[in-house]
Amino acid sequence: MSKPLIIVESPAKATTIKKYLKGEYEVLASAGHIKDLPEKSLAVDVDKDFKAKLRIVPAKRKIVDRLKKAAADADRVLLAPDPDREGEAIAWHIAQELSKVNNNIERILFNEITRSGVRRALESPRELNERMYESQLARRVLDRLVGYQISPLLWRKVQGRLSAGRVQSVALRLIVEREREIEAFDPREYWIVSAVLERKDAPSLTAFRAKLIKLGEKKAEVSDKEQSDTLISRLKATPFLVGDVERKDVQRFPARPFITSTLQQEASRRMRFSPARTMSVAQRLYEGMELGGRGRVGLITYMRTDSVRLSDEVLAAARSEIASRFGPQYVPPKPRIYKNKKQAQDAHEAIRPTTAELRPEEVKPFLKDDEFRLYRLIYQRFLACQMAPAVDVQTTVTVTADDAVFQASGSVEKFPGFRAIWNVDKPVRTAPDNGRSENGWAEGNEIPPGLTVGEELNLLDLLGEQNFTKPKPRFSEASLVRELEERGIGRPSTYASIVKTIQDKGYSEKREGRLRPSELGRIVNDLLVEHFSEIVDYDFTAHMEEDLDRIAEGEKGRLELLTEFYKGFKEALDKAAVDMKSMKTQAMPSGIACSLCGKEMLIRFGKNGPFLGCSGYPDCRNTSEFERDEKGKVTIRKPEEVGSCPKCGKPLLVRSGKFGRFIACSGFPDCDFKKTYTLPQQCPEEGCTGHMVEKRSRKGKRFFSCERYPDCKFSTSLKPLDQPCPQCGAPNLFLLNRRNARTAKCLRESCGYTGSVGESSSDTQIERTA
């Protein structure tokens, strides 16, 4: 007897669902998209209503054949890719192929991979949503038009292997413009004057600090040391009197439940996870984990969402868990309902645990460390958002000294509320019954109890502290995601890939957790802003996202959107092909004199990126690598010294060339000594004692091989990590792919270990210097 066929995206999800259904259904996986635009051509006919020439992905032909065979034997087919537009497109393409053998096809949505979640989905099948598919197709065509028509222009004008993207280029613009704001920022000096005070009748209590806020009727502004010293000298001789004391209870409310962007931001802030790592771990938690006797269980709901909605059933479960675990006083009178932003899609709930009963400590033995930490974060945020507010006792004291007004404020916790679970790793001070802390008000700037208006205080010290105004900080990966979200640029499913792509392409690099534009990123951004101002305009990109939403809602047509977009885009493209300057033939001034002939060094672009070359070329062939200081000024990058030349005794320097890094004598051209630059990681081949070297192929692609070539022929495109294989003891693992920099693999044929690893300093070094 034939059984219904369920098709999902991932094999892991298929395994979990199979266990729930116990043989009632056949469950297979498509392994992602089965159709896409071919890589080697534009594959969009702009003259025939932007027809997309979608083809079966060559690597998926066997999968498609297997799905067809299973569909032919099934009484009906249920398509269950992810519940978003991307998933709808996957379902649509599968239906196009399977309808040739079975017309009984329906769509089901799994918001969570649990027994009850799967059963609910099976009870509510629907037809495929053509509007959602049209919206996804419009996005795919837009991205292809921009990427495949601007990128070749950058290849011709700047250097090969560059890319432009409809959203990625806007993210790059944010990074470049922030960097230039920092470079142009002129710090202004200012001084903070503070008084360290204590009560005359209770000196045993710890002193507190009050900050100068007013002089006369004006806001206090102390601009230099002279003003600070003069003011301090004058006030030291005056009495310090309590002017006002205000104590009040202040409620602190919990944050909203997680959506994709806020999960990425909080995981970055608390655990230093990159957006890509967060999404990879969340995907595993969603698809299902083996939990011993419970079997395989999906632990969280779908993780690509911008909705903060929680169902009534879930709210009731959360309130019940809170009451039983913390007590009824931690449950607010009514469930807390959060409103979505205007542009949010409400197809799914917020990111939450699939059940409040599975506490993090119960599943910890079955999870890897990063899985447990992310699950705990999601679980805690979910319960916290439905808990009573925390209550702090906030005290504000004003102190007068002649015409100067000082202010001090402090707070202690009266009732923890949601902090009982959300701040478990960050203890907060509490207000004991006697009104004093255990350390006699020694922690922080706590205000002594019993202060009265008019009371004179002991002045222990008057301090002047020099400060300077600071520019906005550089974007971190998390703050860049937040900026994109606030501007309405991109979707939850694209944030992680956008952030990663602009780093993979060499447009920006991460230093000390912050994103800085590379010289290449600056040039590409400037060319795009000059010639494709509309494409990289923040408002235009946000409005495009809104138009894509309108297509999904049936308020706009795909052809209408693409026609409107392409008219202006084609005009800009044709004009740029003529007007865009070629960085290969033109150079930019650097403001640095050549160390050999005194002429100005110019910023030029070669196959390996930007460099400084003498304007006296070809008479003077001096070149140098360079960098920019905090003000954006070009400076010569001092090469790394690695010993002395065995031929002439001059310092050996690390240089970059067409085929990667190498070591050469600083006495070149008088001394031509050079040798291979080796990395600290050893070759993984058994019995080999050589180290890895980083090279570039004739086409400019980076790869890693053994320094003992040709005796050892090991080579790979995967980056070596400074971590041994836990399974076979090989000296190092290798990053498995570019989409997830946290998954690594052992390359010994006898092992094949694959697992999740932490970032290593060596890996970071490779990324920065490549």
Side-chain angles (χ1 to χ4, degrees), residues 38 51 255 500 521 534 555 618 693 701 722 738 746:
K51 182 178 179 181
K500 191 169 188 308
E534 189 172 69
E555 298 174 2
V693 295
K701 292 186 177 181
D722 195 20
R738 295 178 63 86
C746 179

Side-chain angles (χ1 to χ4, degrees), residues 527-697:
L527 291 175
L528 293 179
V529 170
E530 180 181 355
H531 297 283
F532 298 95
S533 56
E534 189 172 69
I535 296 298
V536 294
D537 180 78
Y538 302 131
D539 291 337
F540 175 82
T541 307
H543 290 152
M544 186 63 69
E545 294 294 343
E546 293 173 0
D547 282 343
L548 290 168
D549 290 343
R550 291 189 185 100
I551 294 175
E553 293 160 5
E555 298 174 2
K556 194 174 184 111
R558 174 173 62 89
L559 181 58
E560 178 187 359
L561 172 66
L562 294 174
T563 302
E564 290 173 356
F565 166 80
Y566 196 71
K567 180 181 179 182
F569 174 67
K570 186 64 167 64
E571 291 174 358
L573 191 69
D574 292 341
K575 193 171 186 300
V578 177
D579 297 344
M580 185 182 286
K581 62 184 178 183
S582 172
M583 301 308 299
K584 295 179 179 180
T585 58
Q586 297 186 37
M588 297 181 296
S590 70
I592 295 177
C594 176
S595 60
L596 299 182
C597 72
K599 292 183 178 180
E600 185 177 15
M601 299 289 282
L602 301 176
I603 299 175
R604 300 184 183 276
F605 269 81
K607 292 183 177 179
N608 300 308
F611 67 96
L612 292 180
C614 182
S615 58
Y617 179 87
D619 297 328
C620 179
R621 296 175 176 267
N622 187 23
T623 63
S624 177
E625 296 180 9
F626 71 96
E627 56 193 4
R628 292 182 184 267
D629 63 17
E630 288 297 312
K631 302 300 290 183
K633 183 180 178 182
V634 175
T635 60
I636 298 292
R637 180 181 295 161
K638 187 178 180 181
E640 178 187 356
E641 291 190 15
V642 287
S644 301
C645 176
K647 290 180 67 175
C648 70
K650 291 184 178 180
L652 291 175
L653 305 176
V654 178
R655 300 286 193 184
S656 295
K658 181 178 180 180
F659 298 109
R661 285 179 289 177
F662 63 96
I663 295 173
C665 180
S666 58
F668 181 83
D670 297 329
C671 178
D672 61 358
F673 176 82
K674 63 181 179 180
K675 67 176 182 177
T676 303
Y677 178 82
T678 59
L679 299 172
Q681 293 87 0
Q682 284 185 286
C683 175
E685 289 288 335
E686 293 188 58
C688 182
T689 58
H691 283 74
M692 301 298 297
V693 295
E694 176 190 334
K695 295 184 177 181
R696 291 190 181 274
S697 68

Side-chain angles (χ1 to χ4, degrees), residues 749-763:
E749 293 183 4
S750 58
C751 179
Y753 166 83
T754 299
S756 180
V757 297
E759 290 180 350
S760 69
S761 58
S762 297
D763 174 46

Side-chain angles (χ1 to χ4, degrees), residues 289-416:
M289 312 298 296
E290 288 289 348
L291 300 182
R294 290 189 178 93
R296 194 172 181 89
V297 178
L299 291 178
I300 66 170
T301 54
Y302 190 56
M303 64 285 161
R304 295 184 182 92
T305 177
D306 53 7
S307 170
V308 292
R309 178 175 58 84
L310 296 169
S311 69
D312 293 342
E313 177 187 355
V314 166
L315 290 173
R319 292 168 64 82
S320 175
E321 175 70 13
I322 293 165
S324 64
R325 184 169 177 180
F326 299 100
Q329 69 273 29
Y330 284 84
V331 183
K334 295 180 180 179
R336 192 170 284 115
I337 306 299
Y338 296 93
K339 291 184 178 180
N340 284 322
K341 293 182 178 180
K342 181 180 177 182
Q343 69 270 27
Q345 298 176 30
D346 197 34
H348 329 299
E349 292 186 58
I351 303 171
R352 60 168 176 83
T354 54
T355 173
E357 296 175 358
L358 277 178
R359 297 179 181 178
E361 57 269 22
E362 294 179 22
V363 301
K364 184 177 182 179
F366 308 101
L367 304 181
K368 295 176 182 177
D369 181 63
D370 54 356
E371 294 164 350
F372 166 71
R373 293 167 68 195
L374 192 66
Y375 178 69
R376 181 178 60 180
L377 188 72
I378 293 168
Y379 185 94
Q380 291 175 348
R381 180 70 160 249
F382 165 64
L383 280 195
C385 81
Q386 292 304 314
M387 293 176 71
V391 180
D392 293 339
V393 180
Q394 182 173 292
T395 304
T396 303
V397 178
T398 57
V399 179
T400 61
D402 194 16
D403 63 339
V405 179
F406 293 78
Q407 187 178 78
S409 61
S411 64
V412 290
E413 187 179 86
K414 181 178 180 180
F415 174 65

